[in-house]
Amino acid sequence: MFVIKCPHCNEPREEEEFHYEGEAFIARPSNPEAEADEAWGDYLFMKKNPKGWHWEMWGHAAGCRKFFVVKRNTANHAIDGAWTLQGARAAYETEQVAA
Amino acid sequence: MNKDYSIWKLLSQGFKQHQGWTPAWRNPEIKSSYDVVIIGAGGHGLATAYYLAKEHGVKNIAVLEKGYLGGGNTARNTTIVRSNYLWDEAALLYEHSLKLWEGLSEDINFNVMFSQRGVFNLGHTLQDMRDIERRVNANNLNGIDALALSAQEVKDHIPMINIGKNTRFPIMGASFQPRAGVARHDAVAWGFARAASNYGVDIIENCEVQGMDIENAAIKGLQTSLGYIKTSKVGCVTAGHSSVMAKAAGIRMPIESHPLQAFVSESLKPVLDTVVMSNAVHGYISQSDKGELVIGAGIDHYTSYAQRGSPHIIEHTAAAIIELFPMFSRVRLNRQWGGIVDTTPDACPIISKTKVKGLYFNCGWGTGGFKATPGSGNVFAHTIAHDEPHPLNAAFSLDRFHTGHLIDEHGAAGVAH
């Protein structure tokens, strides 16, 4: 059990109020018809599933019902932050550039 | 193999205050090179090493374990063994395993306490019952024992189950597999470890694989916490950590690691002589030989490597069990734990070659790997020894996520474990 602060409601709530929606920032190929099977299969099924920091989507299922992005450590459930989808992309890209 | 465990050995040791027993497996020094290295000394990894040595004559095998033997999911599951899967590929693989279970104690000369007490899969809706009919018929066509039972027939087998209409999801019937059952999970790891060790397999505990040495898309060796090991074949059997291993090899996996929780009650006198599972209310229960009720349910929905989950999952599971068995409402829980399961999109395992020559993966068993332990090791050993899949695991390749040949057991068999 952990506490998540929904960036839309801006209030910390228990995890049970939320629904996990999987890895964030999986880009859909812009022209699926042109993709090879391997790239399409990768898009559909392959996951980073890291042990450590993970950018993931959550939905505030029993609250505002909006999606947002959380950076959470899968090894110890620590949460670094939560962003709206737009805000998250900027934070994620900044991190990628720094790395 | 030296089959030195017997009633006579037990009797003779009894006269010597049991002071003459020797350790069940060797504790060897690690060598600098092996023909085959298995990563992960859980049930599946040890079974793989055993069958490699026994059936394929491979001499120089190591099993590396970052923690202690059988300390991962082998120690954390709810020990249910069954083979009543819907699709041919899955049914035949799990049935192969069930047949090996039936002779396992004798084969490895170690009592794995395999108890064929049957498994009931309850149906609570009309659609559940239709699915049960379909699955029972599919099982029978594959030579797997299965029966469809009415609610009253379920009640005749399990007198304290509540088949009344006053519940949220009344029980309408069940499928029943008489040859299914439970086994002693630790004994499976210990038995395979001892049998493999007798064949000369080196089991190295507290040895973590930290990197893979890959040249020209072929495996050359492993960097470990105990030094470099040269090898040309590596079998990776690391369950929840398979994505971490795959990343070290530059391979992408369709796996997500989730916590799966289970718990046991205080010990009771014998009260439940079979296994009961329900997907609709979502819980499963059996009673161990120690008398504990062994209870499990579904995964926590977020990914995690922390071997713990959230309390509300336990609450839902307990609620489901009490709906089925109101008399258990006053039973107190004794222990609770979580394991990290490697789930795939189609709820079927990956037993496969990879694009790296000599690197094989056996993973993706998700919430139901224990039942497959001997069968999984058996077909994976064949895959490693021949560099080609066994006919029973050819369909379980990593390629299926690119070709589209998924084996959709998720909804089909109503897979709960």
Side-chain angles (χ1 to χ4, degrees):
Chain A
M1 178 71 75
F2 38 86
V3 172
I4 300 171
K5 189 173 177 181
C6 169
H8 302 288
C9 304
N10 218 13
E11 190 176 302
R13 292 295 182 114
E14 284 185 355
E15 168 232 323
E16 200 177 355
E17 224 172 83
F18 299 89
H19 194 266
Y20 181 67
E21 306 287 356
E23 183 181 322
F25 309 126
I26 297 177
R28 182 183 167 90
S30 53
N31 185 6
E33 301 293 324
E35 292 294 341
D37 287 351
E38 179 141 2
W40 186 244
D42 278 2
Y43 159 69
L44 283 181
F45 299 120
M46 299 298 163
K47 296 289 193 293
K48 287 191 182 126
N49 193 29
K51 184 177 187 176
W53 291 110
H54 187 220
W55 290 82
E56 58 198 21
M57 287 195 291
W58 286 75
H60 198 174
C64 66
R65 308 192 63 189
K66 287 179 186 153
F67 276 41
F68 58 97
V69 173
V70 173
K71 185 184 171 191
R72 184 179 61 96
N73 193 317
T74 59
N76 56 19
H77 298 177
I79 290 178
D80 193 39
W83 298 263
T84 59
L85 292 182
Q86 244 180 343
R89 179 159 282 284
Y92 175 71
E93 279 167 5
T94 311
E95 186 186 276
Q96 297 299 302
V97 170
Chain B
M1 189 176 72
N2 178 18
K3 293 201 172 188
D4 61 348
Y5 285 179
S6 67
I7 183 76
W8 311 115
K9 189 78 179 282
L10 192 63
L11 273 175
S12 71
Q13 283 292 334
F15 288 113
K16 295 182 259 179
Q17 277 78 42
H18 294 286
Q19 297 301 301
W21 295 109
T22 52
W25 58 84
R26 298 172 298 114
N27 189 16
E29 287 292 313
I30 192 166
K31 290 188 267 185
S32 60
S33 123
Y34 287 97
D35 293 344
V36 178
V37 175
I38 305 295
I39 307 173
H44 289 234
L46 293 165
T48 306
Y50 169 67
Y51 289 113
L52 269 173
K54 183 193 172 203
E55 295 190 352
H56 304 285
V58 180
K59 293 273 182 270
N60 194 17
I61 306 171
V63 183
L64 309 182
E65 169 55 51
K66 75 170 176 172
Y68 59 93
L69 187 149
N73 291 352
T74 303
R76 293 162 191 271
N77 65 84
T78 47
T79 78
I80 299 167
V81 177
R82 61 187 178 90
S83 65
N84 55 350
Y85 282 69
L86 176 68
W87 299 111
D88 292 350
E89 296 88 347
L92 295 177
L93 179 66
Y94 289 104
E95 178 63 13
H96 176 59
S97 190
L98 181 52
K99 286 193 173 127
L100 288 171
W101 275 112
E102 286 172 330
L104 191 62
S105 291
E106 196 175 347
D107 185 30
I108 62 177
N109 182 226
F110 200 102
N111 186 3
V112 297
M113 298 167 75
F114 181 48
S115 162
Q116 291 178 290
R117 57 184 64 183
V119 169
F120 290 83
N121 290 82
L122 301 177
H124 300 258
T125 63
L126 196 56
Q127 189 58 45
D128 273 0
M129 295 314 297
R130 287 175 180 147
D131 290 342
I132 282 172
E133 286 284 347
R134 181 186 180 204
R135 181 158 46 79
V136 164
N137 285 322
N139 288 161
N140 289 338
L141 287 172
N142 276 323
I144 296 167
D145 59 324
L147 302 159
L149 303 179
S150 69
Q152 188 55 49
E153 286 170 315
V154 172
K155 180 86 175 167
D156 292 344
H157 279 91
I158 312 162
M160 73 277 191
I161 200 165
N162 180 15
I163 59 165
K165 301 294 179 202
N166 59 339
T167 56
R168 177 75 179 81
F169 299 105
I171 295 166
M172 295 179 71
S175 72
F176 179 52
Q177 185 180 21
R179 283 162 62 243
V182 292
R184 169 98 171 93
H185 54 334
D186 290 330
V188 177
W190 299 335
F192 271 122
R194 173 172 167 274
S197 181
N198 281 346
Y199 273 111
V201 172
D202 283 0
I203 300 164
I204 314 288
E205 294 174 277
N206 298 310
C207 176
E208 184 175 9
V209 172
Q210 293 163 334
M212 295 195 187
D213 181 14
I214 294 168
E215 263 178 51
N216 301 324
I219 193 102
K220 299 285 176 210
L222 296 170
Q223 284 105 24
T224 78
S225 55
L226 297 180
Y228 184 82
I229 297 174
K230 190 167 166 292
T231 183
S232 59
K233 284 192 173 184
V234 171
C236 196
V237 201
T238 51
H241 279 73
S242 295
S243 297
V244 178
M245 286 290 115
K247 192 179 173 198
I251 297 168
R252 295 201 74 192
M253 279 283 170
I255 283 177
E256 288 190 303
S257 299
H258 290 272
L260 178 65
Q261 302 184 75
F263 44 93
V264 295
S265 74
E266 58 195 342
S267 287
L268 309 174
K269 288 197 172 177
V271 60
L272 183 63
D273 66 354
T274 185
V275 182
V276 181
M277 317 179 70
S278 169
N279 292 333
V281 300
H282 215 165
Y284 38 92
I285 183 166
S286 64
Q287 189 173 22
S288 74
D289 291 329
K290 279 192 286 184
E292 302 152 325
L293 297 174
V294 184
I295 298 167
I299 55 173
D300 280 77
H301 288 283
Y302 49 82
T303 59
S304 171
Y305 286 82
Q307 292 189 320
R308 63 172 184 269
S310 297
H312 63 88
I313 301 287
I314 303 170
E315 201 175 335
H316 284 298
T317 309
I321 295 302
I322 288 167
E323 170 146 317
L324 303 177
F325 298 100
M327 68 178 284
F328 292 157
S329 65
R330 282 164 294 154
V331 173
R332 284 174 298 186
L333 296 184
N334 197 5
R335 287 178 287 122
Q336 169 274 337
W337 65 91
I340 299 303
V341 297
D342 40 340
T343 61
T344 56
D346 58 355
C348 275
I350 297 161
I351 314 169
S352 181
K353 297 166 70 170
T354 64
K355 64 184 181 184
V356 178
K357 186 170 164 43
L359 178 63
Y360 309 86
F361 269 84
N362 182 353
C363 59
W365 290 95
T367 57
F370 179 74
K371 69 173 77 67
T373 304
S376 153
N378 189 269
V379 298
F380 193 46
H382 183 283
T383 307
I384 294 174
H386 297 272
D387 195 36
E388 275 304 319
H390 187 282
L392 287 174
N393 70 309
F396 296 91
S397 73
L398 187 53
D399 285 351
R400 73 180 188 269
F401 298 98
H402 293 132
T403 62
H405 291 108
L406 304 195
I407 306 154
D408 185 16
E409 276 293 340
H410 239 312
V415 180
H417 302 278

